[in-house]
Amino acid sequence: MINIKICGPGCASCTKTEEIVRQAVADSEVNAIIEKITDFADIAQLGVLSTPAVLINDRIKCVGKIPTQDEVNNWLKYM
Amino acid sequence: MKAINKNVCACQNPEIGGEAESPTHKNNSPIGYFLKGLAGIIIWFVIYRQLAPLAGYLTRNIPGLPPGSHAAEAIQFFLYDTPKVLMLLILVVYGVGIIRTFFTPEKTRRILAGRREAVGNVLAALLGIVTPFCSCSAVPLFIGFVTAGVPLGVTFSFLIAAPMVNEIALVLLYGLLGWKVAALYLVTGLLIAIIAGWIIGRLGMENHIVDWVRAMRTTAEGGPEETLTWPDRFHHGWEAVKEIVGKVWLYVIAGIAVGAAIHGYVPEGFMAAIMGKDAWWSVPAAVLIGVPMYSNAAGIIPVIHALLEKGAALGTVLAFMMSVIALSLPEMVILRKVLMPRLIGVFIGVVAGGILLVGYLFNLII
């Protein structure tokens, strides 16, 4: 079971990021919990400076940009 | 030929450090990219040089349009400026997109953490230009900077410079008003960011940050180091063009259309009375009107261009533009989550003061 956190206050890029991550999880059949972190305090606490950001098991995978579908697929493949 | 190119790809160059991880662009060699880029720039220049004659030719050949009429002037202005500005925009956004791959907010924070003021303010303002930053992450960025030991004033220098001095504003100023105005904007914008940040630091307002932020501690570590190959960087540049130009082209065209109408129809010297040098009150009025306006540089500059032609003073117009892009109401509302009202007030006051000074200064010397 892996834990995926998506950080973002809810702007368009963050929503897009969430879509991509959910798609990747569905495709890979990985057992994952997806959390959405919208509170600025929580986002900062995780060490994220710019949004959108994706964390897998609390390790920052990408910050400040929307990851591509390929990138997310790859992260999940090597879990 | 392809096979030879493959040998010089990034995998062999330890400095660029791309192992097989970069999944998308591993088949393209950096040299191929450079050659393509060079060809692109040459083609760009050839087309760019033809724009003015082409606009003139097209305008002369519109049936029923007497040459030299208001309508003809407006149309020629529009036909020339639109492709010119869009082409400049594509070139510069691409270049800046590539430069930005060398900077991240995390790296900038590491450079600024624990920096003394003065030097820190200068560095922060300069980094504000090249660090990718969007105002919707102003709050996490602010928290991340301050809690990792970046001084408050230095953080503000960054937050002021990042939106105010941006490549889109500079391109448009250069394309429509010439390099001198663009350079003036760059220098004065940086000075305002540096000095305003320094003043805020001197005022010692750390206790006007909301409590939960002050209680927090983060480190300047963390975040993965991305290893990018040159093809990756070129790719990023192109993505930036698609994203930014895709977003602002409509504003640019609309702005130029308004500018063209003003250019063709508003009488010469019309703006001199309200926005000219002699109207001392016009600078503060321009700043006051500018703050609640929320626009990007792309939409506002073509209009400014046309105003200048009709006798508005440069200082007044620059002050207006700076207050529109540097001080925005939505950003203040977001920052309210981490700053007490008094600190926001000081922030607005100091920056607006700096913009006023710049406005008066230019009206005085030019």
Side-chain angles (χ1 to χ4, degrees):
Chain A
M1 173 73 86
I2 60 169
N3 170 292
I4 304 177
K5 290 191 175 74
I6 300 162
C7 300
C11 54
S13 324
C14 316
T15 320
K16 180 87 190 131
T17 303
E18 189 184 355
E19 264 171 44
I20 290 172
V21 170
R22 286 198 185 279
Q23 183 65 48
V25 168
D27 288 350
S28 69
E29 295 168 356
V30 169
N31 206 353
I33 300 178
I34 301 174
E35 275 181 80
K36 235 192 139 192
I37 316 286
T38 53
D39 186 68
F40 285 128
D42 297 339
I43 293 176
Q45 195 81 65
L46 289 167
V48 169
L49 280 189
S50 50
T51 54
V54 180
L55 292 85
I56 298 183
N57 291 339
D58 285 339
R59 284 198 48 204
I60 298 175
K61 286 306 219 180
C62 107
V63 281
K65 61 165 203 220
I66 305 174
T68 63
Q69 191 75 59
D70 281 349
E71 276 177 287
V72 185
N73 289 344
N74 262 329
W75 299 336
L76 294 180
K77 210 172 353 173
Y78 298 114
M79 267 339 281
Chain B
M1 194 59 201
K2 271 239 163 84
I4 299 170
N5 274 349
K6 252 187 188 152
N7 287 335
V8 278
C9 103
C11 327
Q12 301 221 323
N13 188 340
E15 208 181 52
I16 313 178
E19 286 158 70
E21 269 152 22
S22 157
T24 32
H25 323 291
K26 57 187 167 205
N27 294 326
N28 300 315
S29 79
I31 290 185
Y33 265 91
F34 275 120
L35 288 178
K36 264 192 237 164
L38 196 66
I41 287 173
I42 292 169
I43 294 169
W44 185 94
F45 256 101
V46 170
I47 300 175
Y48 189 76
R49 296 293 293 271
Q50 301 307 318
L51 291 179
L54 189 68
Y57 174 80
L58 285 176
T59 313
R60 276 193 302 278
N61 283 287
I62 296 175
L65 196 68
S69 67
H70 283 329
E73 259 184 53
I75 287 174
Q76 186 168 349
F77 177 91
F78 182 78
L79 285 181
Y80 175 49
D81 274 22
T82 313
K84 177 175 109 175
V85 167
L86 286 177
M87 282 186 74
L88 280 169
L89 209 55
I90 289 172
L91 187 71
V92 172
V93 168
Y94 187 57
V96 173
I98 291 173
I99 294 173
R100 289 217 166 124
T101 60
F102 292 94
F103 297 87
T104 62
E106 290 76 19
K107 255 190 215 165
T108 296
R109 174 171 68 171
R110 222 173 304 134
I111 297 171
L112 295 177
R115 228 9 111 168
R116 276 202 319 204
E117 280 165 335
V119 182
N121 293 114
V122 175
L123 268 177
L126 289 171
L127 286 168
I129 308 176
V130 289
T131 308
F133 166 74
C134 118
S135 59
C136 58
S137 39
V139 166
L141 184 123
F142 179 89
I143 300 171
F145 272 35
V146 170
T147 54
V150 180
L152 183 63
V154 175
T155 305
F156 268 109
S157 281
F158 180 88
L159 281 178
I160 296 166
M164 178 148 66
V165 188
N166 68 72
E167 73 278 15
I168 300 172
L170 289 174
V171 167
L172 290 164
L173 285 176
Y174 168 76
L176 296 170
L177 301 167
W179 68 269
K180 279 184 195 158
V181 178
L184 275 177
Y185 186 83
L186 173 69
V187 172
T188 53
L190 280 175
L191 281 178
I192 289 177
I194 293 166
I195 296 169
W198 184 79
I199 292 174
I200 292 171
R202 291 289 90 191
L203 291 175
M205 298 191 72
E206 280 75 8
N207 53 345
H208 290 274
I209 303 171
V210 295
D211 292 335
W212 60 262
V213 174
R214 273 188 290 157
M216 243 168 96
R217 281 285 158 269
T218 57
T219 59
E221 316 293 317
E225 275 300 310
E226 246 188 313
T227 45
L228 290 174
T229 62
W230 271 102
D232 285 333
R233 297 187 196 283
F234 287 122
H235 180 73
H236 272 283
W238 185 239
E239 287 295 313
V241 169
K242 278 198 281 188
E243 194 197 323
I244 298 177
V245 179
K247 221 183 320 184
V248 305
W249 68 274
L250 202 65
Y251 291 96
V252 174
I253 293 177
I256 294 174
V258 172
I262 295 178
H263 178 90
Y265 291 97
V266 179
E268 209 72 39
F270 173 80
M271 295 310 293
I274 21 176
M275 286 182 88
K277 278 188 194 184
D278 300 327
W280 66 269
W281 47 267
S282 68
V283 181
V287 174
L288 277 183
I289 298 170
V291 176
M293 279 183 69
Y294 182 58
S295 165
N296 47 32
I300 207 89
I301 295 179
V303 180
I304 278 169
H305 173 39
L307 289 177
L308 279 177
E309 281 197 344
K310 302 300 174 187
L314 182 63
T316 310
V317 165
L318 276 188
F320 175 64
M321 177 177 154
M322 282 180 168
S323 68
V324 170
I325 43 186
L327 292 171
S328 77
L329 227 44
E331 201 191 346
M332 301 303 149
V333 173
I334 300 181
L335 281 175
R336 175 63 190 89
K337 291 191 165 75
V338 282
L339 306 178
M340 312 257 221
R342 190 124 156 240
L343 184 46
I344 294 189
V346 168
F347 170 48
I348 298 176
V350 172
V351 176
I355 295 174
L356 272 184
L357 269 178
V358 166
Y360 279 122
L361 196 69
F362 282 129
N363 283 352
L364 214 69
I365 57 175
I366 293 175

